[in-house]
Amino acid sequence: MTERTPLLHYRLSASVNESELRSPPAGPVPERQPGGPRQRRTPAQRQRQKLSTFFGVVIPTLLSMFSVVVFLRIGFVVGQSGLYQAIAMFLVAYLIISMTVLSVCAISTNGALDAGGAYYMISRALGPEFGGSIGLMFFLANVCGSALYVLGLVEAIVGSFGMPEGQFGVLPSGYWWSLLYGTAITLLCLLVCLVGAHIYAKATFIIFLVVMFVLGTIFVSFFAVRPQTITLPTSATRNPTMNATGPVAPTTANFTGFKLDTLLGNLQADYTVDYTTGTMMSFATVFAVMFNGCTGIMAGSNMSGDLKSPSSSIPRGTITAVIFTFIIYNLLSVLIACSCDRVLLQKDYSFLTDINIWHPFVTIGVYSSTLSAAMSNLIGASRILYALARDDLFGKALSPAKRTSQSGNPWVSVLISWFLVQLVLFSGKLNTIASIVTIFFLLVYAAVDLACLALEWASAPNFRPTFRYFTWHTCVLGIVGCAIMMFLINAIYASASIAFMLLLLLLIHYLSPTSSWGYISQALIFHQVRKYLLMLDVRKDHVKFWRPQILLMVSNPRSSVGLITFINDIKKSGLYVLGHVQLGDLNTLPSDPLQSQYDSWLSLVDHLNIKAFVNLTLADSVRHGVQHLLFISGLGGMRPNTLILGFYDDCLPKDRLVDPSLPVRQDSGELGDGKVLGAQEYVAIIADAMKMLKNVVLARYFNNFDRTQVLSPPSSSPWKGAVYVDVWPVNLLRPDSCSYVDTCSLFLLQLACILNMVRGWKKATLRLFLCVEEGRSVRGSEEKLGQLLKELRIKARIYPVPWDQQVALAVEEEESDDDYVNSFPSNTMHLSDDYLSAVNKLILDQARPPPAVRFLYLPRPPADTRRYTSYLHQLELLTRDLGPTLLIHGVTPVITTDL
């Protein structure tokens, strides 16, 4: 007997119509006038006719899942694994794909689907990066799947009609002849696809009838054909299972009809060498081969645009097709196990041809189903490519694929897909690519499950599919099942495919434009942040885990770039909020003027590459606005504990942003010589913050601060690129007090230490200046401070600084008869300008080499509001010409020596 077609070890069940076979309308449909003649419809209008559940979902899905597997692989599975394990394999395989079917049904009933099928689902749920990478892999899988089907059809034709071993021996065989036959078949598929998807939609029904008829003859043959002896293929007898000294391989096998002995002989597994590949079979390898026949479940969802009612048709049609194929596969397995001996199943994969009532029936079924699958994969690839091009995820590279005909057929995408299929045909037999194609399809299925899982976990109110027979458990099972199957088929290819997907994901993330589809990641992040914010209990706060949570008030962002970037370094993974007050009254305005400014502020955050939030408010005064922000900024346990203000002086703002589009100026009154904030109100803001138990920091001379230049000084400088941070932990406005262990001093030390812990500032040296007076032990004070720093784990150099001459210039505080004023503590004095200038000079004299930034003690404002102006004048004299300086006042303990 002549040799039959061997088991096809390449992908034989890629999804028919694995992307929707529809085209956008070319124009409005003419209405029929009452009483007038019926207008003749154009082909484009006929193409837009909607399909029912049976024609639009059931038929494509059945053809996808059956393909040639039912004709060539079912005997292989039963012969190798036995009936028990074969049924178990089908149960596990269908459990895996059923989880994905539930996810497909859920997503497809949550809104209208557009071109792209699975790509559209994934991209709109998981974002363009994930969708684009999976979509491109889905496209490649369809291209390779079409080529594999073409090669399978060529192999079947050559096996029947090729010379010299074919049954009829009329066609020449060889690599180039096979390539010619494959090219001819591909051209036929191309012509059908160029005419339009509606032609294929009509052909699928005819192919479906042929496949169902052939399948019916197979079932009838088990009962109608008498027992017979079948000659095995020459390739099976050419590879004996025994060695040269053992028994020879059998040349014949039996179709016994229904016999109990035959059934008992086929119940258990008996894994042998596959005669087409020469490799030893196992449960894993047989399961991998069988699983290919269970895919193709997305054919219906990909045709959603052609369905009359997608929300009801996709779940009903897909589930119907899955149940029907499951029953057919298991019923065939039982009939085969009862009527065919083990040798026949293991040595002749095309035995269904020999036991059929008319042998050519099975051959016709193989040819028709394979041709249908090749065309459907080509159409599917073109539709996916068209969807990718239309979304502009890969820029101009795919722009030609957007072109369509007048009827809406993406003919350029069809040509590109056909060209790639033709290239794949040159590879000949694609056993290696077959595994990769299967893994690509499994990745797509896992991505659909992941999309459904993300939508379910995000708990978004707009995710309310009408199909409710799914949970997050089914999504997880689907993802895990697809992942296991990927690595079961080929662990190396699975790992490489995942790596390829991640590479595409990163490429699209950095190169593609921002989409307006919505990002599921934002919904998931919101869901998790809300949950953890509720768990963040402020009553459980402890000083050991304190971190700065900063509200930085910014008047003009263009002149505050240096300060914004510097404060970003001292937040220590804490909350960082950029606050801004715009003066105005909402009662007199037509709308909120702040809404249009948020994008500019967020662009500033992105431009400066800082990790900060933005909080804007509208108020009748800056003081009230700052109070609003201090009261309402943050959420739960994440609220600002430190207020940072720019210093109140006469320095003119300078635009430090090169890009004029980032961001716009906020208040014209804040520029030039004009000010919207007076000295009295400025100090009142400081006092308000301290009343609210907020730490306060005043920043001066940061207008020209450039972090890069500060941290990378030229090596040619006299100090060889050294960076220093100076710390003065003593209240210089109270020369009668030299304490450096109060809450404020320790807070100042903590901030300096935090700055020194940041990556760019680790090379900086902390210099701690200890002010001492005559008569006090300098060495004792220095040792005491050194011991404190050691306990606090702060590394710094201590420099004693005598300041007797400066203290002599101070003037004692005047008494006041105002009981109200005396009822509030004050840590400032009436000091002469000479004293303040002398202290300022003392600080400057110690700056050898000059520091990058200075940390000074900020005293509490006086209780007498009439002295606010004098207080601000003292701070101005103290910090004049010091360079970047922070005046710091702490109100809460932030340091502990406990473990």
Side-chain angles (χ1 to χ4, degrees):
M1 184 174 179
T2 56
E3 181 173 345
R4 298 168 181 83
T5 304
L7 171 66
L8 304 181
H9 278 271
Y10 41 75
R11 166 110 184 136
L12 293 176
S13 59
S15 301
V16 176
N17 285 333
E18 279 283 5
S19 64
E20 77 282 15
L21 308 177
R22 53 192 166 91
S23 303
V29 179
E31 296 183 1
R32 182 182 178 185
Q33 299 296 331
R38 188 180 185 91
Q39 296 188 10
R40 185 177 182 85
R41 292 178 299 174
T42 65
Q45 293 166 355
R46 290 195 299 268
Q47 182 177 348
R48 291 195 298 272
Q49 287 182 327
K50 298 298 183 180
L51 301 175
S52 64
T53 300
F54 181 73
F55 287 96
V57 181
V58 176
I59 290 179
T61 307
L62 283 176
L63 288 176
S64 301
M65 300 188 71
F66 273 149
S67 189
V68 297
V69 175
V70 71
F71 304 115
L72 295 179
R73 288 190 176 181
I74 193 72
F76 162 78
V77 174
V78 177
Q80 295 286 345
S81 60
L83 182 61
Y84 288 155
Q85 290 191 16
I87 294 177
M89 287 181 182
F90 282 115
L91 286 173
V92 173
Y94 271 81
L95 175 64
I96 294 174
I97 65 169
S98 296
M99 300 301 101
T100 303
V101 167
L102 297 180
S103 299
V104 170
C105 295
I107 297 178
S108 62
T109 58
N110 191 52
L113 298 180
D114 206 342
Y119 156 72
Y120 189 85
M121 293 183 192
I122 298 167
S123 61
R124 267 51 178 184
L126 299 182
E129 297 91 350
F130 215 103
S133 58
I134 289 292
L136 184 60
M137 298 177 73
F138 200 20
F139 164 72
L140 295 176
N142 276 272
V143 167
C144 295
S146 179
L148 290 169
Y149 279 120
V150 170
L151 288 173
L153 181 55
V154 169
E155 185 174 330
I157 293 174
V158 172
S160 299
F161 300 97
M163 297 185 297
E165 295 186 357
Q167 184 175 358
F168 302 100
V170 295
L171 294 177
S173 59
Y175 170 77
W176 292 107
W177 285 106
S178 297
L179 181 62
L180 178 62
Y181 304 149
T183 302
I185 296 171
T186 308
L187 283 173
L188 176 62
C189 297
L190 173 65
L191 291 176
V192 173
C193 295
L194 285 178
V195 172
H198 63 288
I199 296 296
Y200 176 76
K202 294 178 179 178
T204 53
F205 180 64
I206 299 176
I207 296 174
F208 171 75
L209 293 178
V210 171
V211 172
M212 290 297 103
F213 176 76
V214 173
L215 191 59
T217 64
I218 291 176
F219 279 102
V220 171
S221 298
F222 283 110
F223 298 92
V225 175
R226 296 179 178 180
Q228 57 183 281
T229 300
I230 299 174
T231 304
L232 299 178
T234 56
S235 59
T237 59
R238 198 180 298 135
N239 296 288
T241 58
M242 301 296 180
N243 55 35
T245 60
V248 296
T251 59
T252 60
N254 297 317
F255 171 70
T256 65
F258 295 103
K259 286 188 176 182
L260 181 59
D261 292 339
T262 304
L263 174 62
L264 294 176
N266 288 325
L267 290 179
Q268 305 299 326
D270 182 20
Y271 296 104
T272 61
V273 175
D274 174 21
Y275 72 89
T276 62
T277 62
T279 57
M280 184 66 186
M281 292 292 100
S282 64
F283 181 89
T285 55
V286 174
F287 186 46
V289 170
M290 180 275 302
F291 188 79
N292 290 337
C294 302
T295 54
I297 55 177
M298 292 187 182
S301 61
N302 288 330
M303 295 188 67
S304 59
D306 296 307
L307 301 175
K308 293 179 181 178
S309 179
S311 297
S312 60
S313 295
I314 290 176
R316 293 177 181 176
T318 306
I319 294 175
T320 300
V322 169
I323 294 175
F324 182 77
T325 56
F326 177 75
I327 294 173
I328 294 298
Y329 278 135
N330 283 278
L331 188 57
L332 270 178
S333 299
V334 172
L335 293 177
I336 289 172
C338 293
S339 60
C340 302
D341 65 19
R342 183 62 65 96
V343 176
L344 178 62
L345 299 179
Q346 292 178 342
K347 298 300 180 181
D348 186 1
Y349 298 150
S350 57
F351 70 97
L352 290 177
T353 302
D354 298 302
I355 68 173
N356 200 275
I357 54 178
W358 189 53
H359 295 179
F361 275 153
V362 175
T363 303
I364 293 173
V366 172
Y367 290 176
S368 59
S369 61
T370 309
L371 180 62
S372 168
M375 285 193 296
S376 67
N377 275 265
L378 181 59
I379 292 177
S382 65
R383 296 318 191 261
I384 298 168
L385 181 62
Y386 172 67
L388 286 169
R390 198 173 60 176
D391 287 338
D392 287 325
L393 295 184
F394 295 92
K396 296 182 179 180
L398 298 181
S399 56
K402 297 180 184 179
R403 290 192 174 187
T404 61
S405 63
Q406 291 183 352
S407 63
N409 187 33
W411 61 273
V412 177
S413 296
V414 172
L415 287 176
I416 295 174
S417 302
W418 167 80
F419 177 74
L420 294 177
V421 171
Q422 186 64 46
L423 288 181
V424 177
L425 289 180
F426 281 97
S427 300
K429 296 188 176 183
L430 303 178
N431 296 337
T432 300
I433 298 180
S435 299
I436 298 178
V437 171
T438 305
I439 289 172
F440 277 14
F441 276 103
L442 285 171
L443 264 179
V444 174
Y445 299 159
V448 172
D449 287 318
L450 181 61
C452 188
L453 176 66
L455 290 170
E456 178 70 8
W457 274 354
S459 300
N462 282 323
F463 182 63
R464 44 180 185 269
T466 56
F467 182 86
R468 296 301 305 169
Y469 300 101
F470 78 100
T471 66
W472 68 267
H473 304 86
T474 61
C475 299
V476 171
L477 282 175
I479 295 172
V480 173
C482 290
I484 292 175
M485 276 308 307
M486 286 167 52
F487 285 91
L488 192 64
I489 292 172
N490 193 305
I492 297 177
Y493 292 158
S495 302
S497 300
I498 294 174
F500 179 59
M501 180 196 69
L502 295 177
L503 180 63
L504 288 174
L505 190 148
L506 293 175
L507 184 68
I508 297 173
H509 176 75
Y510 288 106
L511 297 183
S512 67
T514 302
S515 71
S516 59
W517 307 336
Y519 292 84
I520 190 64
S521 59
Q522 296 299 305
L524 290 172
I525 291 171
F526 177 88
H527 184 73
Q528 295 301 310
V529 167
R530 181 193 64 86
K531 180 173 70 174
Y532 286 114
L533 274 175
L534 291 173
M535 297 171 60
L536 190 60
D537 192 345
V538 294
R539 296 168 296 183
K540 298 179 181 179
D541 282 347
H542 195 278
V543 65
K544 287 191 299 184
F545 308 111
W546 180 91
R547 67 180 72 239
Q549 304 198 79
I550 297 170
L551 171 62
L552 172 62
M553 297 305 303
V554 180
S555 174
N556 180 10
R558 289 186 168 273
S559 63
S560 306
V561 172
L563 179 60
I564 293 173
T565 55
F566 175 77
I567 298 304
N568 187 64
D569 284 339
I570 65 172
K571 69 180 186 299
K572 189 54 180 176
S573 302
L575 179 67
Y576 184 20
V577 180
L578 300 181
H580 174 75
V581 178
Q582 180 162 325
L583 300 182
D585 185 359
L586 197 58
N587 290 328
T588 62
L589 297 172
S591 61
D592 182 6
L594 300 177
Q595 296 301 320
S596 60
Q597 298 178 12
Y598 272 101
D599 286 345
S600 297
W601 281 87
L602 294 176
S603 298
L604 173 71
V605 171
D606 295 337
H607 179 72
L608 299 180
N609 194 25
I610 60 175
K611 297 178 181 179
F613 298 95
V614 174
N615 210 340
L616 312 180
T617 189
L618 187 71
D620 57 354
S621 68
V622 177
R623 182 183 182 184
H624 289 164
V626 175
Q627 289 176 355
H628 295 168
L629 294 178
L630 287 174
F631 277 127
I632 68 173
S633 290
L635 195 63
M638 295 188 65
R639 293 184 179 276
N641 56 30
T642 303
L643 173 67
I644 300 182
L645 303 170
F647 196 79
Y648 190 91
D649 54 22
D650 295 327
C651 295
L652 294 178
K654 297 180 181 179
D655 193 338
R656 309 298 298 179
L657 285 177
V658 178
D659 188 349
S661 65
L662 296 169
V664 297
R665 290 188 172 111
Q666 303 298 321
D667 281 305
S668 59
E670 297 175 8
L671 303 176
D673 296 330
K675 291 183 178 180
V676 296
L677 181 66
Q680 190 79 9
E681 187 179 6
Y682 177 80
V683 180
I685 292 174
I686 300 174
D688 291 343
M690 293 181 184
K691 291 177 183 177
M692 296 180 189
L693 297 181
K694 307 294 184 183
N695 309 300
V696 178
V697 178
L698 307 182
R700 190 175 190 187
Y701 295 122
F702 280 88
N703 291 344
N704 298 319
F705 182 84
D706 189 326
R707 184 178 185 272
T708 303
Q709 293 182 359
V710 168
L711 296 179
S712 302
S715 56
S716 59
S717 65
W719 301 281
K720 298 180 180 180
V723 179
Y724 295 93
V725 175
D726 287 359
V727 181
W728 295 76
V730 177
N731 185 359
L732 298 176
L733 298 190
R734 288 297 298 260
D736 59 332
S737 173
C738 295
S739 173
Y740 48 80
V741 291
D742 63 357
T743 299
C744 185
S745 297
L746 295 178
F747 180 78
L748 189 148
L749 289 173
Q750 180 78 317
L751 285 189
C753 179
I754 289 174
L755 180 64
N756 199 213
M757 296 169 66
V758 177
R759 179 180 300 176
W761 292 88
K762 285 184 177 180
K763 63 180 180 180
T765 302
L766 294 184
R767 297 188 301 191
L768 190 60
F769 294 95
L770 177 61
C771 297
V772 295
E773 298 181 32
E774 185 179 357
R776 295 188 179 182
S777 173
V778 176
R779 185 175 183 85
S781 300
E782 185 176 352
E783 290 179 352
K784 186 177 180 181
L785 181 58
Q787 182 62 29
L788 175 64
L789 294 178
K790 183 178 180 181
E791 293 177 357
L792 298 177
R793 290 90 62 202
I794 298 177
K795 186 178 180 181
R797 298 179 185 176
I798 301 176
Y799 294 88
V801 179
W803 70 328
D804 296 274
Q805 296 180 1
Q806 289 77 18
V807 172
L809 299 175
V811 177
E812 293 296 331
E813 183 177 10
E814 298 177 357
E815 296 291 336
S816 174
D817 296 331
D818 193 336
D819 293 337
Y820 171 78
V821 172
N822 289 331
S823 65
F824 287 88
S826 175
N827 57 354
T828 62
M829 299 174 59
H830 285 294
L831 301 171
S832 66
D833 290 353
D834 293 337
Y835 166 76
L836 295 170
S837 298
V839 173
N840 175 263
K841 185 176 183 301
L842 174 67
I843 296 174
L844 286 172
D845 291 341
Q846 305 301 318
R848 294 294 181 271
V853 64
R854 289 181 173 88
F855 288 69
L856 302 185
Y857 189 114
L858 174 66
R860 182 184 293 271
D864 187 354
T865 58
R866 294 169 296 180
R867 292 169 53 188
Y868 279 1
T869 304
S870 174
Y871 168 78
L872 188 59
H873 174 68
Q874 292 176 357
L875 297 180
E876 195 280 327
L877 287 178
L878 178 66
T879 58
R880 180 175 295 177
D881 299 327
L882 291 185
T885 302
L886 295 181
L887 289 161
I888 301 171
H889 185 87
V891 297
T892 56
V894 295
I895 287 182
T896 179
T897 58
D898 296 337
L899 183 61

